[in-house]
Amino acid sequence: MTPRAGGAGPGSRPATIIDVAEAAGVSRQTVTRAMNDMPGIKVATKERVLAAAKELAYRPSRFGRGLVGHTQRTVGLVVDDLMNPYYPQLASAVVSSARDRGWNVILAQTAKAADQYSLIADLAKQADVVIGYPALTDTQAQEVLAGVPFVRIDMGEYTYGGGVEMEVDDAMGDLADHLLERGSQRPVLLDVGLPGFPSARGQSFLTAMADRGVRVPTVTAASKSLSSGVAGGNALLAAHPDVDAIMTFNDIVACGALKALHEAGVDVPGRVRLAGCDGLNLGRFVSPELTTLAVDMNAVAESAVGMALGMYDGEVPLQGVRARVAHHLLVRAST
Amino acid sequence: MTPRAGGAGPGSRPATIIDVAEAAGVSRQTVTRAMNDMPGIKVATKERVLAAAKELAYRPSRFGRGLVGHTQRTVGLVVDDLMNPYYPQLASAVVSSARDRGWNVILAQTAKAADQYSLIADLAKQADVVIGYPALTDTQAQEVLAGVPFVRIDMGEYTYGGGVEMEVDDAMGDLADHLLERGSQRPVLLDVGLPGFPSARGQSFLTAMADRGVRVPTVTAASKSLSSGVAGGNALLAAHPDVDAIMTFNDIVACGALKALHEAGVDVPGRVRLAGCDGLNLGRFVSPELTTLAVDMNAVAESAVGMALGMYDGEVPLQGVRARVAHHLLVRAST
DNA sequence: ACGGTGGCCGTGAACGTTCACGCTACGGGT
DNA sequence: ACCCGTAGCGTGAACGTTCACGGCCACCGT
């Protein structure tokens, strides 16, 4: 297994700083000075070194470099599946946020991985901090990450590491007001999970509506997928033919419900108002555009990255810190 | 700037292999043997070492490790913007494909970066190969990447590095047949770019239709964005009120056109059949689901990653190799 | 008793880079 | 003439790990 394809001859090992130094007739340090725009080098010498470097296709080794000055920092980002429209939004924000601070992002995807555990273990070997949604219990995470700063997004009941929480209650109140103002009288919740066990955000909607004197029936979809949303939408229409507003677990399920409504010939928002949750960009691609409880992903990412980097620098404890980002009501065309 | 938060006391530097060796009363090499499941170590010793390592929160330095054995390989993936539904599909496939081969993926996003050039330059310092859609000319790419194996997706007119091409002609023929079989007689192309300069895939549609004796008028949208698709859709309806089939530049524009059609009260596919291009997952979220010219992103990624890794290993020339992946017609509900 | 064979473990060297110094030559000031 | 500062460059050392050896001991066979 040949290490790297060098620039000069095929099969030749990649050039090192010493090769360049010899070719230019100078010392290692002078090459360093030339490559890194450091002072204390004559222009002519610098040019000569740079020419030699180019000639030999010299590229400084990130390992040699990383070894001496601890600069080359990397955050490991764990998502479930980029094909799920939720994660790109997070990933995009994390990548920007990390880059702004001079960090790189290594991406790991748990959905298609055979072994979650070893996936995260490998990631932890390559990264200085880990952020995201690993499908790991606290115990497993502690085992695998062994000291690597770790920030969970949407931490929930987990406790190991830090977390960023997305709060929905206030915005849910706004949504309830919004729906009632528009005249909805028979709202239904399309939740996800097990019937009888409302999700946190589902419960939040029920409570918000109850506070306003409206009792909301619930229909429960099996999973938070598109097809599940379609099935849930159909079931909901069958069980509550007179529904005039639907709040769904998230935007993806809302899209599914919208398809069901569309196929049933139900006008949105004319006959039924429909709202989702997460604020996905996806909601702008469907017709009508989806009203949703959005969360500023840039704020989430900024918060998560900031916390992880703080942990790395020892300024934030590795345990028990939680940040909170609030959802807000984003009214679009579907309500 | 404290390097890394160690496990023991705050402010203490991270433990090295030597710290562990001393704590366990053995040598470096024995620690290595214990950590890497190598033979030639007694079980009792191994346990003692592992305990010491855990106690000190020891994590092997990826730099030290990478320096000696050239293992820890990384592909740099360049996308424009993960918020654009096209890129997650590619990124997801590349990440899986790379992981299958034991490589990591560092993600870079050009859209939000202030300086494209330095973004790619930084990426090239961290990665062993670069794959993707850098917004760089051949000259710039050559300058920045200086010898790093480079594979462009959708290479087009560029020549530096390798490329993966996505061919559309055959599938476009299938689409033309499909539309004609369903009885469409007045198809219109909703292209993107400058009026009078059809895109490659736009031209492909025109040609396919011409081959079948149908002349297709073109409406041109300003950019390949959703809003541009809406505007284009409206313009198209105004210019060709009797249209009965629309082929769009891509799925995103198709979604925009679908919104325009929806708002104009035009039934799809009843009165107008609508097709997109790219095979985005997005097309399944809208109603009706979008017929599209899909490309197997896993094949594209597999091809790109394979090529880049081949270049790295010196088995594939760094220049002039092109792989081709064909689109195929994916009939869904919109036609 | 002696050579041989493995199991277990330790020691130098190497990987490629930067940091902290040290050295030389030259120029200007007194 | 002398000293001193500085520009320009070079030399050890250090970063943390693994590889290639080599040493020691116990055990086996003859």
Side-chain angles (χ1 to χ4, degrees), chain B residues 26-28 30 33 41-42 45 67:
Chain B
V26 295
S27 73
R28 291 172 332 222
T30 299
R33 279 188 268 256
I41 181 174
K42 223 172 1 179
T45 314
L67 199 50

Side-chain angles (χ1 to χ4, degrees), chain B residues 1-333:
Chain B
M1 161 172 34
T2 324
R4 281 198 258 163
S12 68
R13 60 162 180 67
T16 78
I17 198 174
I18 297 187
D19 299 328
V20 177
E22 286 174 354
V26 295
S27 73
R28 291 172 332 222
Q29 184 60 21
T30 299
V31 177
T32 296
R33 279 188 268 256
M35 297 296 298
N36 302 358
D37 277 322
M38 297 168 68
I41 181 174
K42 223 172 1 179
V43 184
T45 314
K46 182 167 177 175
E47 282 171 357
R48 188 157 40 95
V49 171
L50 259 34
K54 186 161 195 173
E55 172 66 25
L56 298 176
Y58 166 66
R59 302 200 316 130
S61 150
R62 65 176 180 279
F63 299 114
R65 189 171 267 176
L67 199 50
V68 45
H70 271 248
T71 183
Q72 328 257 350
R73 311 192 183 92
T74 301
V75 15
L77 176 62
V78 183
V79 302
D80 177 49
D81 186 358
L82 279 178
M83 300 288 279
N84 179 326
Y86 175 81
Y87 293 102
Q89 218 133 331
L90 174 71
S92 177
V94 167
V95 168
S96 315
S97 183
R99 163 140 188 97
D100 287 345
R101 305 169 191 240
W103 285 59
N104 290 105
V105 175
I106 288 189
L107 195 55
Q109 216 178 183
T110 57
K112 300 181 186 170
D115 178 8
Q116 310 267 338
Y117 193 88
S118 68
L119 174 71
I120 311 281
D122 288 351
L123 182 65
K125 281 179 194 150
Q126 308 294 335
D128 302 298
V129 300
V130 170
I131 292 178
Y133 288 86
L136 257 46
T137 65
D138 274 339
T139 316
Q140 288 177 317
Q142 187 157 13
E143 240 178 66
V144 173
L145 298 174
V148 185
F150 171 48
V151 175
R152 232 190 249 268
I153 314 277
D154 211 358
M155 199 182 195
E157 300 302 315
Y158 293 108
T159 62
Y160 177 72
V164 176
E165 224 53 46
M166 299 188 255
E167 298 203 322
V168 80
D169 286 347
D170 290 349
M172 200 64 88
D174 294 343
L175 173 65
D177 288 338
H178 167 76
L179 289 175
L180 297 176
E181 275 167 20
R182 300 252 161 145
S184 294
Q185 300 184 330
R186 293 172 304 278
V188 178
L189 169 66
L190 179 50
D191 205 357
V192 163
L194 269 56
F197 298 88
S199 64
R201 49 178 71 169
Q203 182 59 55
S204 178
F205 181 69
L206 296 179
T207 305
M209 276 299 186
D211 287 350
R212 287 156 181 82
V214 181
R215 206 194 131 274
V216 177
T218 300
V219 172
T220 307
S223 75
K224 33 188 163 184
S225 67
L226 178 66
S227 55
S228 203
V230 175
N234 285 323
L236 191 150
L237 279 177
H240 306 277
D242 61 343
V243 59
D244 63 1
I246 304 178
M247 168 66 195
T248 60
F249 176 81
N250 68 9
D251 287 340
I252 295 177
V253 170
C255 285
L258 183 58
K259 284 166 65 74
L261 292 167
H262 189 88
E263 278 160 29
V266 176
D267 183 47
V268 177
R271 215 187 99 193
V272 172
R273 305 183 191 284
L274 176 66
C277 189
D278 280 345
L280 297 192
N281 211 24
L282 167 66
R284 294 191 21 231
F285 285 80
V286 298
S287 353
E289 298 194 2
L290 222 54
T291 289
T292 184
L293 262 40
V295 62
D296 180 355
M297 273 297 177
N298 290 310
V300 171
E302 195 69 24
S303 179
V305 171
M307 188 184 299
L309 271 48
M311 290 174 167
Y312 178 84
D313 288 333
E315 294 160 4
V316 173
L318 268 60
Q319 297 284 342
V321 181
R322 290 201 184 206
R324 293 167 204 288
V325 178
H327 283 250
H328 61 273
L329 176 62
L330 182 56
V331 177
R332 290 194 288 219

